[in-house]
Amino acid sequence: MKHLALPLALSMLTLAGCQTSTEPTKANVYGSPVGQRAVGNKEGVMISNVWNELDAFPVAEKHCQKYGRSAKFKSAQGYRAAFDCV
């Protein structure tokens, strides 16, 4: 039984790193060690570390919903996508 403890612990840590979330404060849409960052206010939000606006949209939508608004795609550049909260 002792010989299973270390592999089991390592497996649990590995799977924890694969957890995904769209919560703006801890977004991780790809399940990678480095998640997304949402920076904005009631007018709009910039989502960083995303491949495209479709991947960023759920994070932006959650951010805008905090203000009773919806996300509307504005622009994308590199690994960032900007949204207006309308």
Side-chain angles (χ1 to χ4, degrees):
M1 187 71 168
K2 282 185 177 181
H3 64 281
L4 292 177
L6 181 59
L8 181 60
L10 291 175
S11 296
M12 290 174 64
L13 286 173
T14 301
L15 290 174
C18 296
Q19 183 177 359
T20 62
S21 174
T22 58
E23 181 63 35
T25 58
K26 56 184 173 199
N28 194 344
V29 297
Y30 304 121
S32 65
V34 179
Q36 288 64 47
R37 184 169 182 209
V39 177
N41 55 30
K42 70 177 185 173
E43 301 298 322
V45 62
M46 175 74 71
I47 311 297
S48 60
N49 196 26
V50 290
W51 294 338
N52 58 55
E53 66 273 10
L54 293 176
D55 292 343
F57 182 78
V59 180
E61 184 70 9
K62 288 261 188 180
H63 170 85
C64 293
Q65 284 177 349
K66 292 189 307 188
Y67 304 101
R69 298 176 175 210
S70 293
K72 179 181 176 191
F73 177 69
K74 183 177 180 181
S75 65
Q77 182 179 12
Y79 293 102
R80 294 182 295 180
F83 293 82
D84 288 327
C85 293
V86 296

